[in-house]
Amino acid sequence: MTVWKSPLFLSGFLIIVSLFFGSIIYSNFVPNDKQPVMQIRYDENKNAIDGAPIAPFKDMPFGTDRFGVSILHKVIDGAKYTLGVAFFIAFARLFFGTFLGLVISQLPKFILNTLSKLFESFYYAPATIIAYLLLYPVLQIFTWSLPRDIQTIFAVILLVIIAVPPIMVTVANETSKFLENEFISSVKVLGGSRLHTLRKHVLPHLRPRLSILYSQQLIATLLLGAHLGILQVFIGGTDFITLDPLENNTVPVAMINEWSSMIGANYYQIRGDRWIVFAPLAGFAITILALNFMVEAMKRQYLAKGAYTKRTRRVKKTKNPVPVKKLSQEQFDRIMKTGTDN
Amino acid sequence: MYLLVLRRIVYFLMPIVGVFFIGALPYLFFSNVQGIEAVARLLESGAIKNALFLDQDLGLFFRNYLENIGSLMLRLITFSNVEYYEYQQIKLLFPTILTPFYYSVKLVIGAFTLAISSSLILALIVKTLPDKIQKGVRFVFFSLESLPDIFIVVMIQYGMILYFRNTGTLLFPIAHSDQNPTYFIPILCLAIIPSLFLTRTLLFLLDDEDSKTYVEFARAKGLRYALILYVHMLRNSLFSLFYYSKTVYWLLISTLFMVETIMAIPGITDFMLDNGPTTPEVITVSILLMFVPFYLLFTGVSYILSHKLGRTEEEVA
């Protein structure tokens, strides 16, 4: 596991871990009912100088939203939802994708060819539109006919399903290419069954690639979530708040402090109160940057030439200097006269 | 022989069929897709106040799904029109969809040319820099490329606003209006990530080219490195760059959603998002409109390349 020594990987990993666990620990100490709220800001002479949404200043480093809640609190609190959901979805995608991919790689070749051609369309129809097409009706149009938890479960299942076909095809292609290696026929000759080949040869080969794929799926999930947030589809669930009862001015409000819904629900405020949108956006940017660092470091480590052969730990050979014989004057003279032969 | 040709044709048509399978997905999961449209119509006409009347079940409805794919395919093959619902009237899809489609095509083609040309210039500049600076520049490019596309779009838009506030002159229009259609800023936003991606790929290919014997030979003859780079290495790696156009297309299309939503541009993705949930056929038709020309071009060129150069996609990409 030499990837742990790469500074690129370590920095990315530390950022992700500290964001996720920092968020969990933080919300243990500051639960949502104790969140810092400031509706009106006064100066020293008790004059009101700013009302919610308050611009960033010393007490509220990222300002507040329109209800006076500190954005910093919301962003830190929301990290665990956003990252947690992404961890889960990416894992489920990879799990099912790998399983199905391994199954397909064992089937006749034309099935793999047909499927990989058929699912090529997933590259041309971006995941955003597929997810929007299926989630928007559920989360926005007929929200009343379905209970809330079913909506969320459906959303999560859907976000898993739409990425399974491409992963499946990638894994199957990688596996069937690997199975063409010459030593695989030796494995068969020596009596290794299919299951044995998969477990002892294919999986160790796939493992580094899967860890790269996992990080890439994390990035894809986060981006998809952010896109859906801009399109007003919130995975965490949507509530509607009527601001102005007379004018029927209703705005969608996210139910939890999840980043993508924070961006989406407040996007219309970007021209006036930009900090509300910028803070979660910066959170996304930092997370995705950190994940990309990890991917790059792993790619350099694993996909370099000859990465498959197991590296034995290099034993450092200490070279002792050859001891020099100290010659006496007499010996020296003799050698100079006769040479070393005699 | 006939079998081989038939198989080629089937494989060629497969991705297009796949688009139909994607577009009809709502029929697979929802029991009552037509109901969404009907309720939307009633809501807009004011006959009902909310969508409580919509009886909808989630599940897997394979019969519905396949029937709809079949009927849409039949309609498109026979060139009969597709209907969709907007603003309390049933409209025909075909003349209406073309205006947003042309707008988006202009944006995509503009962004594509911008990305290609800027990546060529950037890659050649970076390649001739001294090694130490090159390493730093490459890292900066890589970091910029890994930023999420929304972040870049929002930052560019906000940067324009900031410039306008401080100087009082609006460099380029940042949002669309019918009198004043915007082109430059959306094209810039679209092109940034693809051009960084292309630059990185081109640098990678050029590095690969570096180790080949003809470069060593040319240098041994006393040719300047810049000359070899501009003439020979570039020419050789451009062919390989072509195979990455698939990824570039994907990057462009997925950013197009964000650009069109954020800048209020009435392009094809905006059209899809507006009418997709009520009539899923709109999605299928729009994806096909964007995808089929590109796909034909890509397949044609890669066929020619593989015949002329004797290389296949797998070997290069």
Side-chain angles (χ1 to χ4, degrees):
Chain A
M1 291 303 264
T2 37
V3 78
W4 294 99
K5 285 180 188 167
S6 143
L8 208 60
F9 182 86
L10 268 186
S11 55
F13 186 75
L14 281 182
I15 291 175
I16 300 290
V17 165
S18 55
L19 263 177
F20 185 60
F21 289 103
S23 162
I24 291 177
I25 294 166
Y26 173 82
S27 51
N28 248 345
F29 287 108
V30 190
N32 261 340
D33 45 356
K34 278 193 218 156
Q35 61 192 4
V37 177
M38 179 181 275
Q39 300 275 5
I40 300 167
R41 184 185 165 201
Y42 300 97
D43 62 358
E44 300 89 51
N45 308 326
K46 299 270 176 193
N47 294 323
I49 50 172
D50 202 354
I54 296 171
F57 74 109
K58 215 175 73 201
D59 283 359
M60 297 276 171
F62 288 111
T64 71
D65 68 355
R66 58 189 306 155
F67 305 110
V69 184
S70 165
I71 294 285
L72 183 64
H73 165 83
K74 288 182 89 168
V75 169
I76 295 178
D77 184 56
K80 62 174 185 290
Y81 299 117
T82 308
L83 288 176
V85 168
F87 285 147
F88 175 75
I89 288 177
F91 176 77
R93 283 174 172 188
L94 215 61
F95 181 79
F96 292 114
T98 312
F99 180 74
L100 289 174
L102 288 180
V103 168
I104 286 171
S105 70
Q106 301 299 314
L107 296 177
K109 190 98 188 203
F110 78 94
I111 294 181
L112 173 61
N113 285 340
T114 313
L115 283 180
S116 67
K117 274 287 169 192
L118 194 63
F119 290 139
E120 204 175 276
S121 50
F122 272 86
Y123 292 105
Y124 301 110
T128 316
I129 186 64
I130 309 174
Y132 180 81
L133 181 64
L134 292 167
L135 287 183
Y136 183 78
V138 175
L139 298 180
Q140 294 272 6
I141 297 181
F142 49 91
T143 38
W144 286 278
S145 65
L146 294 170
R148 153 105 324 127
D149 42 345
I150 286 190
Q151 284 175 33
T152 309
I153 291 170
F154 179 77
V156 170
I157 288 178
L158 198 88
L159 290 183
V160 170
I161 288 179
I162 56 172
V164 165
I167 296 177
M168 185 174 87
V169 169
T170 313
V171 171
N173 271 325
E174 185 74 36
T175 311
S176 64
K177 211 159 67 184
F178 178 76
L179 286 177
E180 279 166 14
N181 272 332
E182 278 171 18
F183 65 86
I184 296 295
S185 48
S186 315
V187 173
K188 278 181 195 156
V189 168
L190 289 172
S193 66
R194 281 187 169 182
L195 214 62
H196 172 86
T197 319
L198 282 184
R199 222 183 43 188
K200 290 283 177 183
H201 296 278
V202 176
L203 273 184
H205 170 75
L206 280 183
R207 201 168 292 142
R209 282 158 185 79
L210 286 182
S211 55
I212 292 175
L213 211 57
Y214 181 70
S215 311
Q216 283 171 339
Q217 285 305 315
L218 265 181
I219 297 170
T221 315
L222 286 171
L223 269 179
L224 182 58
H227 284 187
L228 288 176
I230 292 257
L231 300 175
Q232 309 280 317
V233 176
F234 309 142
I235 298 159
T238 317
D239 244 353
F240 290 92
I241 288 188
T242 307
L243 294 175
D244 209 348
L246 292 177
E247 288 171 18
N248 200 11
N249 184 5
T250 316
V251 290
V253 170
M255 296 188 66
I256 50 177
N257 295 328
E258 203 253 327
W259 290 347
S260 56
S261 36
M262 275 170 77
I263 296 175
N266 297 308
Y267 194 76
Y268 62 98
Q269 297 181 336
I270 188 166
R271 279 163 197 91
D273 315 315
R274 57 200 173 279
W275 55 88
I276 305 180
V277 180
F278 278 7
L281 206 56
F284 267 120
I286 289 169
T287 317
I288 289 173
L289 200 63
L291 284 169
N292 262 320
F293 281 174
M294 285 165 71
V295 169
E296 183 67 18
M298 282 193 284
K299 268 188 186 164
R300 274 184 205 163
Q301 185 71 38
Y302 294 140
L303 301 188
K305 267 174 197 158
Y308 178 63
T309 47
K310 218 176 198 174
R311 283 206 192 98
T312 44
R313 189 171 289 167
R314 219 183 287 155
V315 182
K316 224 178 194 176
K317 276 183 192 160
T318 45
K319 279 183 185 167
N320 291 323
V322 182
V324 181
K325 243 187 198 168
K326 187 92 170 147
L327 297 175
S328 63
Q329 189 63 39
E330 190 189 338
Q331 283 170 318
F332 181 75
D333 286 341
R334 206 173 68 217
I335 288 172
M336 290 304 284
K337 269 184 209 153
T338 61
T340 47
D341 295 339
N342 200 345
Chain B
M1 183 64 205
Y2 289 116
L3 216 65
L4 206 72
V5 172
L6 189 72
R7 213 170 79 188
R8 280 226 152 161
I9 292 173
V10 169
Y11 275 164
F12 172 73
L13 289 178
M14 273 292 178
I16 298 177
V17 175
V19 173
F20 281 91
F21 278 92
I22 287 177
L25 276 178
Y27 291 105
L28 179 61
F29 290 112
F30 308 146
S31 65
N32 187 9
V33 177
Q34 279 86 8
I36 299 177
E37 187 207 307
V39 168
R41 196 181 313 168
L42 287 174
L43 272 175
E44 267 180 13
S45 69
I48 54 174
K49 285 272 181 274
N50 52 40
L52 284 172
F53 292 93
L54 188 54
D55 174 42
Q56 191 79 270
D57 276 331
L58 292 181
L60 293 175
F61 303 95
F62 282 106
R63 233 186 101 216
N64 241 338
Y65 183 53
L66 294 177
E67 267 174 15
N68 268 289
I69 292 172
S71 77
L72 184 62
M73 273 184 180
L74 206 67
R75 260 187 285 172
L76 286 185
I77 288 171
T78 54
F79 291 103
S80 35
N81 222 324
V82 182
E83 290 168 346
Y84 76 103
Y85 166 77
E86 190 182 32
Y87 300 127
Q88 308 193 35
Q89 36 184 302
I90 301 283
K91 288 183 181 172
L92 289 177
L93 192 56
F94 258 104
T96 359
I97 200 173
L98 291 177
T99 333
F101 173 63
Y102 287 144
Y103 200 133
S104 293
V105 164
K106 273 181 218 162
L107 292 185
V108 168
I109 289 179
F112 193 67
T113 19
L114 184 61
I116 291 268
S117 45
S118 60
S119 70
L120 277 180
I121 295 167
L122 279 176
L124 290 180
I125 289 175
V126 170
K127 195 68 187 156
T128 46
L129 285 175
D131 273 353
K132 253 188 187 164
I133 307 173
Q134 215 180 99
K135 228 177 165 185
V137 172
R138 282 180 190 217
F139 184 73
V140 170
F141 277 8
F142 163 68
S143 312
L144 278 179
E145 193 199 328
S146 7
L147 288 175
D149 45 4
I150 319 175
F151 187 76
I152 288 174
V153 175
V154 169
M155 282 303 154
I156 286 179
Q157 205 187 22
Y158 188 68
M160 286 293 147
I161 297 175
L162 216 62
Y163 185 83
F164 176 64
R165 263 194 208 158
N166 291 338
T167 60
T169 48
L170 188 60
L171 286 180
F172 303 99
I174 53 161
H176 177 85
S177 63
D178 281 342
Q179 291 83 29
N180 198 3
T182 165
Y183 284 103
F184 183 74
I185 292 292
I187 286 178
L188 184 69
C189 293
L190 275 179
I192 283 184
I193 292 180
S195 59
L196 288 172
F197 168 78
L198 278 175
T199 310
R200 198 161 59 102
T201 317
L202 196 56
L203 280 175
F204 173 75
L205 292 171
L206 287 174
D207 286 347
D208 209 38
E209 212 73 15
D210 250 344
S211 58
K212 287 188 179 160
T213 42
Y214 77 90
V215 179
E216 270 173 35
F217 178 64
R219 296 198 74 177
K221 269 176 73 177
L223 292 178
R224 270 192 303 126
Y225 183 68
L227 190 74
I228 310 170
L229 180 67
Y230 295 151
V231 179
H232 300 286
M233 284 162 72
L234 188 64
R235 202 157 47 180
N236 284 340
S237 46
L238 272 185
F239 285 118
S240 318
L241 195 66
F242 166 76
Y243 291 102
Y244 289 89
S245 58
K246 239 188 219 176
T247 319
V248 172
Y249 175 83
W250 186 84
L251 283 172
L252 279 173
I253 294 293
S254 54
T255 317
L256 191 66
F257 277 92
M258 288 307 105
V259 170
E260 292 194 352
T261 314
I262 290 175
M263 299 189 175
I265 291 168
I268 188 115
T269 58
D270 195 49
F271 189 80
M272 274 154 105
L273 296 177
D274 281 348
N275 302 307
T278 47
T279 21
E281 285 83 5
V282 172
I283 305 269
T284 316
V285 173
S286 327
I287 293 177
L288 283 177
L289 271 180
M290 297 296 281
F291 158 62
V292 169
F294 169 78
Y295 183 61
L296 287 179
L297 197 73
F298 181 82
T299 321
V301 175
S302 60
Y303 184 77
I304 293 169
L305 275 187
S306 70
H307 266 243
K308 287 236 159 158
L309 301 175
R311 291 193 282 193
T312 54
E313 191 179 339
E314 283 79 28
E315 285 168 32
V316 182

